[in-house]
Amino acid sequence: MERLRQLLSFVEILYKSGCVQSVLQHSLLQEPKSTSGVEALQAPTAASILLSTKLRDLVWSHRMWPVVQLCNALILEVVRRQDAGEARSAETTCRELQEQCPAIFSEIDVRRCTKDASRPAVISVLQRYAAAKSPSEAVEGLRNLAAEDAAAGAQLCADKIAALPSDAVLDHARDLVAALLDAIRLEELPELSKVLELFLQRTGSWRSGDKSQAAPVVHAMVVDHLLSTPRLHGLLDVMVSTSNAVAWAEILQQRANKSRMAAELLWRYHQQRGQVRPEWA
């Protein structure tokens, strides 16, 4: 009866939002489900399905699309009202949706819900949307969030990695790390370095089901991705110079023979600490 519980929770959240009437009158509910040609003209709208379907049938038929459309309309309305300085915040509504009915909330059209919204509202929606996804499904939502707010993205990424099961394969964690690093904007490198340092501290104890991997696993993933992505080399340089979250000498030494960038960073690492340049550098 989990589907019923989440559906009833959604109805309660809709009622508490204070914008029931405007949500029910939203034009989104008058749109047919995306199809093409003649089928688009004949397809029922979300409003018509909700009006003609009993609650019992809606739960058991697995036809949750009209409820998801209703959720889209709710988010659009609370975001609009927040940006206008009215009613409760989008963060409050999205948090309740994420916690109480994630099966519905995780299916929203996130691009449509955040179009033309203010940055605080966009971050609220993206953060909660990505959190509602399972770790293996969270990559797209994480990428969107990290592009808007690196700190929020890093926190979510750490949470998703921590939530991976003990027998998780390394690729699941690696995909999350890649999504975070590839999406962040390289605007304030010192601040971004601090964000990643905190991320590395939070994920330092994570272990995967692959017992052959030496700890800390996520540190190696982050360094390898930074080394393999030229766009991120400047960020890696700043991190090596300022961050203490990683055993840089050891981790760069292990990669110096195959990566010129790793060798150069290792040399600078020793040089900054008044050490003599090694023969191999």
Side-chain angles (χ1 to χ4, degrees), residues 17 28 47 52 63 79 96 100 117 119 127 161 179 201 214 228 263:
S17 71
L28 192 63
S52 62
R63 298 173 66 184
V79 165
E96 293 175 347
Q100 299 179 39
R119 189 167 184 271
Q127 188 171 18
I161 290 176
Q201 291 172 352
S228 66

Side-chain angles (χ1 to χ4, degrees), residues 4-261:
L4 176 59
R5 185 198 65 76
Q6 292 199 33
L7 183 56
L8 293 177
S9 294
F10 172 75
V11 172
E12 181 182 6
I13 294 169
L14 172 60
Y15 177 77
K16 289 194 300 183
S17 71
C19 51
V20 176
Q21 184 174 356
S22 56
V23 170
L24 295 178
Q25 294 176 344
H26 201 283
S27 60
L28 192 63
L29 300 182
Q30 301 302 325
E31 298 178 6
K33 191 171 184 178
S34 298
T35 51
S36 59
V38 178
E39 292 182 355
L41 299 176
Q42 299 175 344
T45 65
S48 64
I49 295 175
L50 290 169
L51 288 171
S52 62
T53 307
K54 294 180 180 180
L55 177 61
R56 177 191 60 191
D57 296 333
L58 190 63
V59 171
W60 290 108
S61 67
H62 299 285
R63 298 173 66 184
M64 294 298 284
W65 170 74
V67 181
V68 173
Q69 284 291 83
L70 195 60
C71 188
N72 283 325
L74 170 60
I75 295 170
L76 282 166
E77 186 59 26
V78 296
V79 165
R80 183 192 68 79
R81 291 193 174 199
Q82 172 179 301
D83 290 347
E86 307 171 11
R88 68 202 323 238
S89 69
E91 162 63 21
T92 300
T93 298
C94 289
R95 174 177 51 78
E96 293 175 347
L97 290 169
Q98 176 225 326
E99 294 175 349
Q100 299 179 39
C101 41
I104 298 170
F105 184 56
S106 63
E107 297 300 319
I108 63 170
D109 185 344
V110 70
R111 291 185 179 180
R112 186 165 188 175
C113 289
T114 55
K115 184 180 180 181
D116 301 326
S118 66
R119 189 167 184 271
V122 168
I123 292 173
S124 294
V125 175
L126 291 178
Q127 188 171 18
R128 294 299 174 178
Y129 168 76
K133 295 280 190 178
S134 66
S136 60
E137 299 174 335
V139 170
E140 180 181 358
L142 172 60
R143 187 180 295 115
N144 292 333
L145 177 61
E148 293 292 335
D149 188 319
Q155 179 178 346
L156 178 65
C157 186
D159 290 341
K160 289 300 181 183
I161 290 176
L164 288 170
S166 57
D167 60 348
V169 295
L170 286 173
D171 285 346
H172 291 163
R174 190 175 289 111
D175 288 345
L176 291 168
V177 169
L180 170 66
L181 297 177
D182 287 343
I184 53 179
R185 298 177 181 178
L186 304 177
E187 296 172 347
E188 299 289 341
L189 294 186
E191 291 302 316
L192 197 52
S193 176
K194 293 178 182 178
V195 167
L196 291 183
E197 180 172 17
L198 181 59
F199 169 75
L200 290 168
Q201 291 172 352
R202 293 189 61 193
T203 56
S205 61
W206 183 78
R207 301 290 184 273
S208 76
D210 186 351
K211 305 303 182 183
S212 65
Q213 291 291 322
V217 180
V218 178
H219 288 192
M221 291 179 183
V222 170
V223 172
D224 286 339
H225 196 82
L226 292 173
L227 284 171
S228 66
T229 310
R231 182 183 80 91
L232 300 172
H233 284 178
L235 173 59
L236 178 57
D237 194 1
V238 172
M239 291 186 66
V240 172
S241 300
T242 62
S243 172
N244 296 316
V246 175
W248 293 112
E250 178 182 353
I251 205 166
L252 291 174
Q253 176 73 68
Q254 294 169 351
R255 290 155 176 78
N257 290 335
K258 296 182 179 180
S259 170
R260 181 174 180 178
M261 184 65 185

Side-chain angles (χ1 to χ4, degrees), residues 254-272:
Q254 294 169 351
R255 290 155 176 78
N257 290 335
K258 296 182 179 180
S259 170
R260 181 174 180 178
M261 184 65 185
E264 291 178 354
L265 287 171
L266 182 57
W267 170 44
R268 288 203 290 271
Y269 175 84
H270 287 302
Q271 191 178 47
Q272 289 168 359

